[in-house]
Amino acid sequence: MKNALGREIPERIGSRVVEPYKGAFAVRNEGRKAARYQKSSWPADDKVLPSLDAAIDATGLSDGMTISFHHTFRDGDRVVNQVLAACAKRGIKKLRLFSTALFPTHAEVIDHIKSGVVSRIEGSMNGPIGHFVSQGGKLSEPAVLRSHGGRWRAIEAGDVEIDVAFIAAPYADPYGNATGIRGATPCGPISYSAVDAQYARKTVVVTNDLAPFPVYPMEIQQGWVDVVVEVDEIGDPENIASGTLRLTKSPTRLLIAQLTTDAVVHSGYFKDEFSFQGGAGGISLAVTKLLGDEMEKAGIVGSFGMGGGTRMLVDLLHRGLVRTILDGQAFDLDAIRSIREDDAHVMIDPGMYANFDSAGCSTYKLDTAFLGATEVDLDFNVNVNTHSDGLLLHGIGGHQDVASGASMTMITIPTLRGRIPVIVDSVTTVTSPGEVIDVIVTERGIAVNPKREDLSERFRSAGLPVRELADIKAEVDRLVQPVAKPIVGDEIIAAIEWRDGTIIDVVRKVEGFE
Amino acid sequence: MKNALGREIPERIGSRVVEPYKGAFAVRNEGRKAARYQKSSWPADDKVLPSLDAAIDATGLSDGMTISFHHTFRDGDRVVNQVLAACAKRGIKKLRLFSTALFPTHAEVIDHIKSGVVSRIEGSMNGPIGHFVSQGGKLSEPAVLRSHGGRWRAIEAGDVEIDVAFIAAPYADPYGNATGIRGATPCGPISYSAVDAQYARKTVVVTNDLAPFPVYPMEIQQGWVDVVVEVDEIGDPENIASGTLRLTKSPTRLLIAQLTTDAVVHSGYFKDEFSFQGGAGGISLAVTKLLGDEMEKAGIVGSFGMGGGTRMLVDLLHRGLVRTILDGQAFDLDAIRSIREDDAHVMIDPGMYANFDSAGCSTYKLDTAFLGATEVDLDFNVNVNTHSDGLLLHGIGGHQDVASGASMTMITIPTLRGRIPVIVDSVTTVTSPGEVIDVIVTERGIAVNPKREDLSERFRSAGLPVRELADIKAEVDRLVQPVAKPIVGDEIIAAIEWRDGTIIDVVRKVEGFE
């Protein structure tokens, strides 16, 4: 069958009956959420166990179960590998790995897939694991990728039942209260795991800094936690930035940042109480900085900037240019310090950020957002998951959540990466549909979604280089040789969920290249 | 049938099949909690409605439904009356009123009972409404009283389904984020309503101070809230103290406070990382102050003091005598200011405080607590709900939660109130069972529960006046004339739930006096 974007989707993917994507806001999920487990604990109970092995015993973790993790340490995480190694050693098989995201540091997951310890993955795969899955088909069911809000929704809706949640906690007490913003190795808020902790059959806090009761703030609460384990290492906070957190020095990217800033300033949204979401990419960081200067110049105070928190965003708060930062994850240590010190730097969880099945998402209050893409197409569809070579190399992050929430969603992209054009006829994979994308900013001009004639007019009046997306594409295509296209088989290796639980696209196995 | 305390309990109370009390920690509620409602909202939706009337329309509130409120403004609350008046005007009947607590200011509820607008009450009744219910029997089913933690549990367990939650919010934004610690009339944390907001079919935030998005901290989150209404008045913060918050000047009570402090100091619990719960009664406040001085003298730093927050407790934090305050409600404006300003003054919700069906309660981490009583008996059972005249005049508050949680629970009482003895053969109503009470401190001496021989020995070694409870009682009984006993009928007017959902006692209609 075809979904509302014309993407070919099977009626079943693995054991799952597919609901095809119908539109960004076409589905109202009604009825009830999943029911959480009752738990109990008596005053004298002691939750602290001496090892991950003891925790695995205590939780009854066994073949075929689903285990979950957060990604807040990103490429510095040390918990996923430790838990999987312990499971492998015990001969546990067929686990479903339900991490928010996996990174190159988790490459040993590939061996666990080969040996049958892991047979399913739901969550983002950044780098080698996605590469392996794209070419392999070694999983018993296709992977499922969800946005930050989509993952929260899926757990609450009962789409994914977690058997054991393992929560890397930089600072925790023996009763299970835990935070990511304090301790020996802070990684930023760990509230990604708050929904796991509440819904899992058993919840394990894994910390390298066990402190006396009560640890606060409590992204993870004692009432959700069954077991606390202290280990030597949970992650390297120097790695939370994953190398992405540098202001770009590329003239092309700086030009894009400048054009994006100019477009925001002339969009009609740029006034007191203005709000925006920045990201951790080089262009986003540069826009955050440039926009701050424009706000200062214009005497504008924004209502909120939304994180991932960065020092650029914190700087705007400290200069009084935004009243508030709403933050679900930290991209650098300055942001973590600011959460500790600045009352107006408010931690929110991904449910509050972007749960489709809630009475309101913070992303819906955004005036604008500047987001990246691996590809865009002439229908303004955006791909952030695969590359033009067909390989699944990135997660969704909050892309869908923010793109569909912001009043003006801007995609900031260079037209070429190496010799590969970024604007294509049809994206390899749709992550966010064209209907939620308003503006595409490139170094060759600004393309505006035809449904936003109001924006084109404002930009044109301001003398900004508004162009047809097709014209920009044609100009770029003349500069490069056609690239080798992937030979894609029939086998589906991953499903891309829209944030409402429908399937917006699938990723197929890459058999080779033309 | 008789429950584990020998109290006569019917097998059914109204429409409810009774589970009799089996012991303080005799029940493990297993399986699943109730499932919350799915909700949805699109970015352009506007939640703000112009009046309570419009909110009642929008929520579909009608005959026979359950409406809920928090009590954080206590006797200064203005929301319950406004909502009920609006319901009455529309001819809505047979409502179940599920407020955390009602106060004398809500006396017009009596008229709503008489006219059939309100036909059931679940929650505390302080003063005239309890008095009316005790003598009346005008409710279609007996009232149900629960502790703070017990009420949270009951909602999560699905024992009470809320149709519409009305949440008095001193500071709220148009998207429904709300707090009680800021705004024009702060009343302290409003997280009592967090569970209502999450479970109600429809949730209405009622504010007198509507501020731009985002309002923080978010005891109430946008994702739970369907409707926001601005009204002129929600409550008077000067009334949150309800006149209780004065250090006692009574020599008898000061003597009790001193004996209590001495007992704590010699209990074995008085050392670094010591923790305790104070209250807002005159004796508790005095103990908090005296204990702080003893901690300073001894060079002891406590791990946490638990609120209701008071300026006495805040003073201990500021003097460095406790590392943290865990606080679910504020008893004065100094406490509210401290929550805003002191990171270590941490807001917790009643679920975290005391939900029996969770993996851990903050009350379980208490070394000691000093609590009040209207009566105690020779089995160390405690009554806080009725007086010896049989009238239901008070709620449970956190009594059961704290009494069962603290390692050493102390009841601090004068032996006489007016001419009425406080120590009786058998309490009129059991609120907290003797098995969770360790020490009773009176101006005539300290009685220790026989199961705590360890404490008697410590107190005796320290030269404290340890006495048999029966001896104290006999001494008091010789001083007074027998008091008129209530003539109690068969009709049950209220059930007292133990915090696990079983019935620990019932309150019967008072027909007259001997």
Short mmCIF file of all heavy atoms in Angstrom, two decimals, chain B residues 304-355:
data_model
loop_
_atom_site.label_atom_id
_atom_site.label_comp_id
_atom_site.label_asym_id
_atom_site.label_seq_id
_atom_site.Cartn_x
_atom_site.Cartn_y
_atom_site.Cartn_z
N PHE B 304 17.84 15.28 55.88
CA PHE B 304 16.71 16.06 55.41
C PHE B 304 15.68 16.27 56.51
O PHE B 304 15.54 15.45 57.42
CB PHE B 304 16.03 15.42 54.18
CG PHE B 304 15.28 14.14 54.46
CD1 PHE B 304 13.90 14.13 54.61
CD2 PHE B 304 15.95 12.93 54.57
CE1 PHE B 304 13.20 12.96 54.87
CE2 PHE B 304 15.27 11.75 54.82
CZ PHE B 304 13.90 11.76 54.97
N GLY B 305 15.01 17.40 56.40
CA GLY B 305 13.80 17.63 57.17
C GLY B 305 12.66 17.57 56.18
O GLY B 305 12.79 17.98 55.03
N MET B 306 11.56 17.01 56.61
CA MET B 306 10.44 16.91 55.67
C MET B 306 9.35 17.88 56.11
O MET B 306 9.06 18.03 57.30
CB MET B 306 9.92 15.49 55.61
CG MET B 306 9.06 15.26 54.38
SD MET B 306 9.57 13.78 53.47
CE MET B 306 8.93 12.51 54.48
N GLY B 307 8.74 18.52 55.11
CA GLY B 307 7.68 19.47 55.38
C GLY B 307 6.34 18.79 55.36
O GLY B 307 6.28 17.58 55.28
N GLY B 308 5.26 19.46 55.41
CA GLY B 308 4.95 20.85 55.29
C GLY B 308 6.03 21.79 55.74
O GLY B 308 6.46 21.76 56.88
N GLY B 309 6.41 22.65 54.78
CA GLY B 309 7.45 23.62 55.05
C GLY B 309 6.97 24.73 55.98
O GLY B 309 5.86 25.21 55.86
N THR B 310 7.85 25.08 56.90
CA THR B 310 7.59 26.17 57.85
C THR B 310 8.86 27.00 57.97
O THR B 310 9.94 26.54 57.61
CB THR B 310 7.24 25.63 59.24
OG1 THR B 310 8.39 24.89 59.73
CG2 THR B 310 6.03 24.72 59.22
N ARG B 311 8.70 28.20 58.54
CA ARG B 311 9.91 29.01 58.70
C ARG B 311 10.89 28.37 59.68
O ARG B 311 12.09 28.58 59.61
CB ARG B 311 9.55 30.44 59.10
CG ARG B 311 8.91 30.60 60.44
CD ARG B 311 8.41 32.03 60.65
NE ARG B 311 7.43 32.06 61.72
CZ ARG B 311 7.75 32.16 63.02
NH1 ARG B 311 9.02 32.25 63.38
NH2 ARG B 311 6.80 32.16 63.93
N MET B 312 10.39 27.54 60.59
CA MET B 312 11.28 26.83 61.53
C MET B 312 12.20 25.88 60.77
O MET B 312 13.39 25.79 61.02
CB MET B 312 10.46 25.99 62.52
CG MET B 312 9.46 26.75 63.36
SD MET B 312 10.25 28.00 64.36
CE MET B 312 8.86 29.11 64.54
N LEU B 313 11.60 25.17 59.82
CA LEU B 313 12.36 24.19 59.05
C LEU B 313 13.35 24.92 58.13
O LEU B 313 14.51 24.52 57.99
CB LEU B 313 11.36 23.37 58.23
CG LEU B 313 11.75 21.99 57.76
CD1 LEU B 313 12.33 21.15 58.88
CD2 LEU B 313 10.52 21.27 57.18
N VAL B 314 12.88 26.00 57.52
CA VAL B 314 13.74 26.78 56.63
C VAL B 314 14.94 27.33 57.40
O VAL B 314 16.07 27.34 56.89
CB VAL B 314 12.93 27.92 55.97
CG1 VAL B 314 13.84 28.91 55.26
CG2 VAL B 314 11.89 27.35 55.02
N ASP B 315 14.68 27.74 58.62
CA ASP B 315 15.76 28.27 59.45
C ASP B 315 16.84 27.21 59.66
O ASP B 315 18.04 27.50 59.59
CB ASP B 315 15.16 28.72 60.80
CG ASP B 315 16.22 29.29 61.72
OD1 ASP B 315 16.88 30.27 61.32
OD2 ASP B 315 16.39 28.76 62.84
N LEU B 316 16.45 25.96 59.84
CA LEU B 316 17.43 24.88 60.00
C LEU B 316 18.26 24.69 58.72
O LEU B 316 19.46 24.43 58.79
CB LEU B 316 16.72 23.56 60.35
CG LEU B 316 16.60 23.24 61.84
CD1 LEU B 316 16.01 24.37 62.65
CD2 LEU B 316 15.85 21.95 62.06
N LEU B 317 17.59 24.82 57.57
CA LEU B 317 18.32 24.71 56.30
C LEU B 317 19.33 25.84 56.19
O LEU B 317 20.50 25.62 55.83
CB LEU B 317 17.32 24.75 55.14
CG LEU B 317 17.93 24.62 53.74
CD1 LEU B 317 18.45 23.20 53.50
CD2 LEU B 317 16.90 24.98 52.66
N HIS B 318 18.89 27.04 56.49
CA HIS B 318 19.76 28.21 56.34
C HIS B 318 20.93 28.18 57.33
O HIS B 318 22.00 28.72 57.04
CB HIS B 318 18.95 29.49 56.51
CG HIS B 318 18.02 29.76 55.35
ND1 HIS B 318 17.07 30.74 55.37
CD2 HIS B 318 17.92 29.18 54.14
CE1 HIS B 318 16.41 30.74 54.22
NE2 HIS B 318 16.90 29.78 53.46
N ARG B 319 20.71 27.55 58.47
CA ARG B 319 21.81 27.43 59.45
C ARG B 319 22.71 26.23 59.15
O ARG B 319 23.64 25.94 59.89
CB ARG B 319 21.23 27.29 60.86
CG ARG B 319 20.70 28.61 61.42
CD ARG B 319 19.66 28.39 62.52
NE ARG B 319 20.22 27.81 63.73
CZ ARG B 319 19.47 27.33 64.73
NH1 ARG B 319 18.15 27.36 64.64
NH2 ARG B 319 20.04 26.81 65.80
N GLY B 320 22.40 25.50 58.07
CA GLY B 320 23.25 24.37 57.70
C GLY B 320 23.03 23.15 58.57
O GLY B 320 23.88 22.25 58.60
N LEU B 321 21.91 23.09 59.27
CA LEU B 321 21.67 21.97 60.19
C LEU B 321 20.99 20.80 59.50
O LEU B 321 21.01 19.68 60.00
CB LEU B 321 20.83 22.45 61.38
CG LEU B 321 21.52 23.55 62.20
CD1 LEU B 321 20.59 24.09 63.28
CD2 LEU B 321 22.82 23.01 62.83
N VAL B 322 20.33 21.06 58.38
CA VAL B 322 19.87 19.96 57.51
C VAL B 322 20.37 20.28 56.10
O VAL B 322 20.46 21.43 55.71
CB VAL B 322 18.32 19.81 57.49
CG1 VAL B 322 17.80 19.34 58.84
CG2 VAL B 322 17.63 21.09 57.05
N ARG B 323 20.74 19.23 55.37
CA ARG B 323 21.24 19.41 54.01
C ARG B 323 20.11 19.76 53.05
O ARG B 323 20.31 20.44 52.05
CB ARG B 323 21.90 18.12 53.52
CG ARG B 323 23.30 17.88 53.99
CD ARG B 323 23.97 16.80 53.17
NE ARG B 323 23.47 15.46 53.48
CZ ARG B 323 22.73 14.72 52.68
NH1 ARG B 323 22.37 15.17 51.49
NH2 ARG B 323 22.32 13.52 53.06
N THR B 324 18.90 19.25 53.34
CA THR B 324 17.81 19.32 52.38
C THR B 324 16.47 19.44 53.10
O THR B 324 16.33 18.96 54.23
CB THR B 324 17.71 17.98 51.58
OG1 THR B 324 18.98 17.35 51.55
CG2 THR B 324 17.22 18.22 50.17
N ILE B 325 15.52 20.08 52.43
CA ILE B 325 14.12 19.96 52.87
C ILE B 325 13.35 19.32 51.73
O ILE B 325 13.47 19.73 50.57
CB ILE B 325 13.51 21.35 53.19
CG1 ILE B 325 14.23 22.01 54.37
CG2 ILE B 325 12.01 21.22 53.50
CD1 ILE B 325 13.76 23.44 54.65
N LEU B 326 12.59 18.30 52.04
CA LEU B 326 11.66 17.70 51.06
C LEU B 326 10.27 18.19 51.44
O LEU B 326 9.84 18.02 52.58
CB LEU B 326 11.72 16.18 51.11
CG LEU B 326 13.07 15.55 50.76
CD1 LEU B 326 12.99 14.03 50.85
CD2 LEU B 326 13.53 15.97 49.37
N ASP B 327 9.57 18.75 50.46
CA ASP B 327 8.40 19.53 50.83
C ASP B 327 7.26 19.33 49.84
O ASP B 327 7.40 19.54 48.64
CB ASP B 327 8.81 21.01 50.83
CG ASP B 327 7.97 21.81 51.81
OD1 ASP B 327 6.92 21.30 52.24
OD2 ASP B 327 8.39 22.93 52.13
N GLY B 328 6.13 18.95 50.36
CA GLY B 328 4.96 18.77 49.51
C GLY B 328 3.92 19.85 49.67
O GLY B 328 3.05 20.01 48.84
N GLN B 329 4.00 20.59 50.78
CA GLN B 329 3.07 21.71 50.95
C GLN B 329 3.74 22.73 51.86
O GLN B 329 4.63 22.41 52.62
CB GLN B 329 1.73 21.25 51.51
CG GLN B 329 1.76 20.62 52.89
CD GLN B 329 0.36 20.24 53.39
OE1 GLN B 329 -0.60 20.95 53.15
NE2 GLN B 329 0.27 19.11 54.08
N ALA B 330 3.29 23.97 51.73
CA ALA B 330 3.89 25.04 52.52
C ALA B 330 2.90 25.52 53.56
O ALA B 330 1.72 25.71 53.26
CB ALA B 330 4.29 26.18 51.60
N PHE B 331 3.40 25.71 54.78
CA PHE B 331 2.52 26.19 55.85
C PHE B 331 2.67 27.69 56.12
O PHE B 331 1.95 28.24 56.92
CB PHE B 331 2.73 25.40 57.14
CG PHE B 331 2.13 24.03 57.10
CD1 PHE B 331 2.91 22.90 57.25
CD2 PHE B 331 0.76 23.87 56.91
CE1 PHE B 331 2.35 21.63 57.22
CE2 PHE B 331 0.20 22.60 56.88
CZ PHE B 331 0.99 21.49 57.02
N ASP B 332 3.66 28.31 55.47
CA ASP B 332 3.75 29.76 55.60
C ASP B 332 4.48 30.35 54.40
O ASP B 332 5.05 29.62 53.57
CB ASP B 332 4.38 30.18 56.94
CG ASP B 332 5.80 29.67 57.12
OD1 ASP B 332 6.53 29.52 56.13
OD2 ASP B 332 6.19 29.44 58.28
N LEU B 333 4.47 31.66 54.32
CA LEU B 333 5.05 32.32 53.15
C LEU B 333 6.57 32.25 53.12
O LEU B 333 7.19 32.26 52.05
CB LEU B 333 4.55 33.77 53.08
CG LEU B 333 3.02 33.89 52.93
CD1 LEU B 333 2.58 35.35 52.98
CD2 LEU B 333 2.52 33.25 51.64
N ASP B 334 7.19 32.14 54.30
CA ASP B 334 8.64 31.97 54.33
C ASP B 334 9.05 30.66 53.66
O ASP B 334 10.06 30.60 52.96
CB ASP B 334 9.16 31.95 55.78
CG ASP B 334 9.05 33.32 56.45
OD1 ASP B 334 8.93 34.33 55.71
OD2 ASP B 334 9.08 33.37 57.68
N ALA B 335 8.25 29.64 53.88
CA ALA B 335 8.55 28.34 53.26
C ALA B 335 8.43 28.45 51.74
O ALA B 335 9.25 27.90 51.00
CB ALA B 335 7.61 27.27 53.79
N ILE B 336 7.42 29.18 51.27
CA ILE B 336 7.24 29.33 49.82
C ILE B 336 8.42 30.08 49.22
O ILE B 336 8.96 29.68 48.18
CB ILE B 336 5.91 30.06 49.53
CG1 ILE B 336 4.73 29.22 50.03
CG2 ILE B 336 5.77 30.35 48.04
CD1 ILE B 336 3.38 29.92 49.92
N ARG B 337 8.82 31.15 49.89
CA ARG B 337 9.97 31.90 49.38
C ARG B 337 11.20 31.01 49.33
O ARG B 337 11.96 31.02 48.36
CB ARG B 337 10.24 33.13 50.26
CG ARG B 337 11.36 34.01 49.68
CD ARG B 337 11.71 35.22 50.56
NE ARG B 337 10.53 35.87 51.05
CZ ARG B 337 10.20 35.97 52.36
NH1 ARG B 337 11.00 35.46 53.29
NH2 ARG B 337 9.10 36.58 52.73
N SER B 338 11.39 30.20 50.35
CA SER B 338 12.56 29.32 50.39
C SER B 338 12.53 28.31 49.25
O SER B 338 13.57 28.01 48.65
CB SER B 338 12.63 28.61 51.74
OG SER B 338 13.57 27.56 51.72
N ILE B 339 11.37 27.80 48.93
CA ILE B 339 11.29 26.87 47.79
C ILE B 339 11.76 27.58 46.52
O ILE B 339 12.48 27.02 45.71
CB ILE B 339 9.87 26.32 47.60
CG1 ILE B 339 9.45 25.48 48.80
CG2 ILE B 339 9.78 25.48 46.32
CD1 ILE B 339 8.01 25.00 48.76
N ARG B 340 11.36 28.82 46.36
CA ARG B 340 11.79 29.58 45.18
C ARG B 340 13.29 29.81 45.17
O ARG B 340 13.93 29.76 44.14
CB ARG B 340 11.09 30.94 45.14
CG ARG B 340 9.68 30.92 44.62
CD ARG B 340 9.25 32.31 44.15
NE ARG B 340 9.37 33.32 45.20
CZ ARG B 340 8.41 33.65 46.06
NH1 ARG B 340 7.23 33.05 45.97
NH2 ARG B 340 8.60 34.57 46.97
N GLU B 341 13.85 30.06 46.36
CA GLU B 341 15.23 30.56 46.40
C GLU B 341 16.28 29.52 46.74
O GLU B 341 17.43 29.65 46.35
CB GLU B 341 15.31 31.72 47.41
CG GLU B 341 14.51 32.93 46.94
CD GLU B 341 14.47 34.05 47.98
OE1 GLU B 341 15.10 33.91 49.05
OE2 GLU B 341 13.79 35.07 47.69
N ASP B 342 15.90 28.49 47.49
CA ASP B 342 16.87 27.51 47.95
C ASP B 342 16.79 26.22 47.13
O ASP B 342 15.81 25.49 47.21
CB ASP B 342 16.64 27.18 49.43
CG ASP B 342 16.80 28.40 50.34
OD1 ASP B 342 17.75 29.16 50.11
OD2 ASP B 342 15.97 28.57 51.26
N ASP B 343 17.85 25.95 46.37
CA ASP B 343 17.89 24.71 45.58
C ASP B 343 17.63 23.48 46.44
O ASP B 343 17.02 22.51 45.99
CB ASP B 343 19.28 24.54 44.96
CG ASP B 343 19.37 25.20 43.60
OD1 ASP B 343 18.36 25.80 43.17
OD2 ASP B 343 20.44 25.11 42.99
N ALA B 344 18.14 23.52 47.68
CA ALA B 344 18.06 22.34 48.55
C ALA B 344 16.70 22.19 49.21
O ALA B 344 16.47 21.26 49.97
CB ALA B 344 19.17 22.39 49.60
N HIS B 345 15.80 23.13 48.96
CA HIS B 345 14.42 23.00 49.41
C HIS B 345 13.63 22.44 48.24
O HIS B 345 13.21 23.16 47.35
CB HIS B 345 13.90 24.37 49.84
CG HIS B 345 12.62 24.33 50.63
ND1 HIS B 345 12.27 25.29 51.54
CD2 HIS B 345 11.61 23.43 50.65
CE1 HIS B 345 11.09 25.00 52.07
NE2 HIS B 345 10.67 23.87 51.55
N VAL B 346 13.47 21.13 48.24
CA VAL B 346 13.04 20.40 47.05
C VAL B 346 11.55 20.07 47.12
O VAL B 346 11.09 19.46 48.09
CB VAL B 346 13.84 19.08 46.91
CG1 VAL B 346 13.44 18.32 45.67
CG2 VAL B 346 15.34 19.37 46.93
N MET B 347 10.82 20.46 46.11
CA MET B 347 9.39 20.10 46.04
C MET B 347 9.25 18.63 45.69
O MET B 347 9.86 18.16 44.73
CB MET B 347 8.70 20.91 44.94
CG MET B 347 8.24 22.25 45.41
SD MET B 347 6.99 22.91 44.27
CE MET B 347 8.02 23.43 42.91
N ILE B 348 8.44 17.91 46.44
CA ILE B 348 8.09 16.55 46.05
C ILE B 348 6.57 16.45 46.01
O ILE B 348 5.89 17.22 46.67
CB ILE B 348 8.67 15.48 47.02
CG1 ILE B 348 8.15 15.70 48.45
CG2 ILE B 348 10.20 15.51 47.00
CD1 ILE B 348 8.51 14.58 49.40
N ASP B 349 6.06 15.53 45.23
CA ASP B 349 4.61 15.38 45.18
C ASP B 349 4.18 14.28 46.15
O ASP B 349 5.02 13.51 46.66
CB ASP B 349 4.14 15.13 43.74
CG ASP B 349 4.67 13.84 43.16
OD1 ASP B 349 4.70 12.81 43.88
OD2 ASP B 349 5.07 13.83 41.99
N PRO B 350 2.88 14.19 46.47
CA PRO B 350 2.44 13.20 47.46
C PRO B 350 2.71 11.76 47.03
O PRO B 350 2.79 10.87 47.89
CB PRO B 350 0.93 13.47 47.56
CG PRO B 350 0.76 14.89 47.14
CD PRO B 350 1.79 15.10 46.07
N GLY B 351 2.86 11.54 45.73
CA GLY B 351 3.22 10.20 45.27
C GLY B 351 4.60 9.82 45.73
O GLY B 351 4.84 8.72 46.25
N MET B 352 5.51 10.73 45.56
CA MET B 352 6.88 10.50 45.98
C MET B 352 6.98 10.47 47.51
O MET B 352 7.79 9.75 48.09
CB MET B 352 7.73 11.64 45.43
CG MET B 352 9.18 11.36 45.58
SD MET B 352 10.11 12.35 44.44
CE MET B 352 11.72 11.96 45.13
N TYR B 353 6.17 11.28 48.12
CA TYR B 353 6.13 11.36 49.58
C TYR B 353 5.69 10.04 50.18
O TYR B 353 6.32 9.51 51.08
CB TYR B 353 5.14 12.47 49.94
CG TYR B 353 4.88 12.79 51.38
CD1 TYR B 353 5.89 13.28 52.20
CD2 TYR B 353 3.61 12.64 51.91
CE1 TYR B 353 5.63 13.62 53.52
CE2 TYR B 353 3.34 12.98 53.23
CZ TYR B 353 4.36 13.46 54.04
OH TYR B 353 4.08 13.79 55.34
N ALA B 354 4.61 9.46 49.62
CA ALA B 354 3.95 8.43 50.42
C ALA B 354 3.05 7.45 49.66
O ALA B 354 2.18 6.86 50.27
CB ALA B 354 3.12 9.12 51.49
N ASN B 355 3.25 7.27 48.36
CA ASN B 355 2.37 6.32 47.66
C ASN B 355 2.72 4.88 48.03
O ASN B 355 3.79 4.37 47.67
CB ASN B 355 2.49 6.53 46.15
CG ASN B 355 1.63 5.55 45.35
OD1 ASN B 355 0.87 4.76 45.92
ND2 ASN B 355 1.74 5.59 44.04
#
